[in-house]
Amino acid sequence: MRAEALRVQGALALLRHAHAHPGVTRAEAAASLGLSSGSATEIMGRLRAARLLGERPVAATGGRGRPSTELVAHPDGPLVAVVELTHATWRVTTAGIGGELAPAPVHRHRGGPPEAVLAEVRAAVEQARARAGGRLAAVGVALPGTVRGTTAVQAATLRWRDVDLASLGGGLPLTVGNDASLAGVAEALRGAARGVPVALHLTVEVGVGGVLLVEGRPVLGATGAGGEFGHVPFGEPGLACPCGATGCWDVTVDGRAMARRLGRPAPDDPRGFAAEVLAAAAGGDGAARAAVTEAATALGRGVGALLNALDPAIVTLGGLGADLLDAAGDALLAAVRPAAMAWRRAALPPIVPAALGSRGPSIGAAESALGAVLDGLAQDLLTRR
Ligand SMILES: [Zn+2]
């Protein structure tokens, strides 16, 4: 019995390793996990029979040594549907073991009542499920808003409040996450913060979202609604935020802040407006340049404060945050330093652009849903006699 339990644990370890390291060869995986060649072969036989992993030959590179095989998702293996909602678009795609997203078209929506948008998304999930022929095992959703459980409690750019997304699962396990938090999960597992024990990810789009990641796992609080760094009062005291609080960091780092600085009306599309201002600044427009510098400075001050509070080993910046780092990195870093406690300044952690860009939320949603699938498989395998 004990030997069987060890074999099952070995199978789960190899499965998780192959998922986390796409392209790994069987020999490399066996070495990483301390498995003998014979054990790895036996475990792979089980995982192939369970339709979880397959193998394919690695193209010969020099002709020396034995031919190797790389571990890949089984062609009949489990899939998850991945739903990405933004303020203006939605997309439904799928991913399997290894986390690679299938190509899928992006559709526009007009916002408004959630029922209309969700009906379209639900139909696309059902189509994906039909195409998957029984392989679809979970659904993961990323959206721009505060999430508690499977409910979007506040999604300002979608104008949604207390929208329950449970129906998108269609009875399958459903994970719903904030897009910035999921982008952080993606950075920690497959991006710029991979392998870093404690990482802070911040995405600036309209406002700031993010997450602290410990050993690749998001720290999201008791109800999953944590990580709303944009609603910490690092901003201008008294300035009202759409969230209902005042002084929020959110409204000092994005296109809304740039519009105020330039004496322009509040933009309907703050992200698009920020892109225009960045382009004007790059073209030599002095006022635009000042607005970019001011937003980068506000971003840097808050990052410095969060270094004191959270002590991350790396900070990854996504979206407009990466653009501000690129366009006004000196101003951003110059604002981090005085906000950071003096003893920290000699060795500030790297502050780098996110590596996965706009794919981060979908990759993170896939990881979240696949995590649920792998946990379920572990339960099944460990309780099977
Ligand atoms: Zn706020």
Side-chain angles (χ1 to χ4, degrees), residues 11-217:
L12 287 170
L14 188 62
L15 180 59
R16 288 185 192 280
H17 191 83
H19 173 61
H21 302 87
V24 71
T25 67
R26 192 208 299 179
E28 290 163 351
S32 295
L33 297 171
L35 297 169
S36 69
S37 170
S39 292
T41 303
E42 192 263 329
I43 288 171
M44 261 313 295
R46 286 172 168 241
L47 290 170
R48 195 181 303 106
R51 298 184 175 186
L52 292 170
L53 281 188
E55 288 176 276
R56 70 179 167 214
V58 176
T61 51
R64 292 173 66 88
R66 287 190 299 170
S68 188
T69 63
E70 73 180 2
L71 307 183
V72 294
H74 192 283
D76 297 324
L79 296 174
V80 296
V82 179
V83 177
E84 186 186 20
L85 272 162
T86 75
H87 68 285
T89 66
W90 63 270
R91 184 174 74 137
V92 174
T93 180
T94 57
I97 302 293
E100 192 177 338
L101 298 170
V106 174
H107 304 270
R108 296 197 76 77
H109 66 72
R110 292 162 186 271
E115 295 76 24
V117 180
L118 292 179
E120 285 185 287
V121 173
R122 190 159 46 241
V125 171
E126 281 163 11
Q127 281 171 17
R129 191 173 185 175
R131 276 197 304 275
R135 294 168 61 198
L136 203 71
V139 178
V141 181
L143 64 86
T146 307
V147 174
R148 202 170 62 194
T150 60
T151 299
V153 289
Q154 181 167 351
T157 57
L158 285 164
R159 282 168 291 201
W160 289 6
R161 279 193 88 111
D162 291 322
V163 177
D164 188 0
L165 302 172
S167 70
L168 292 183
L172 295 172
L174 173 72
T175 58
V176 182
N178 168 273
D179 53 1
S181 299
L182 290 170
V185 168
E187 287 300 322
L189 295 179
R190 305 196 185 273
R194 185 173 183 157
V196 178
V198 180
L200 175 64
H201 174 77
L202 298 170
T203 298
V204 185
E205 292 290 352
V206 179
V208 192
V211 67
L212 184 73
L213 299 127
V214 179
E215 306 292 350
R217 292 189 174 267

Side-chain angles (χ1 to χ4, degrees), residues 230-231 241 243 245 248 250:
H231 303 285
C241 173
C243 80
C248 290
D250 242 37

Side-chain angles (χ1 to χ4, degrees), residues 189-273:
L189 295 179
R190 305 196 185 273
R194 185 173 183 157
V196 178
V198 180
L200 175 64
H201 174 77
L202 298 170
T203 298
V204 185
E205 292 290 352
V206 179
V208 192
V211 67
L212 184 73
L213 299 127
V214 179
E215 306 292 350
R217 292 189 174 267
V219 179
L220 293 171
T223 65
E228 294 288 3
F229 296 110
H231 303 285
V232 174
F234 295 155
E236 295 173 35
L239 187 63
C241 173
C243 80
T246 57
C248 290
W249 192 25
D250 242 37
V251 288
T252 62
V253 297
D254 63 8
R256 294 169 294 182
M258 293 177 185
R260 283 198 308 280
R261 180 70 164 78
L262 292 167
R264 302 276 289 275
D268 287 335
D269 173 9
R271 185 66 174 94
F273 183 77

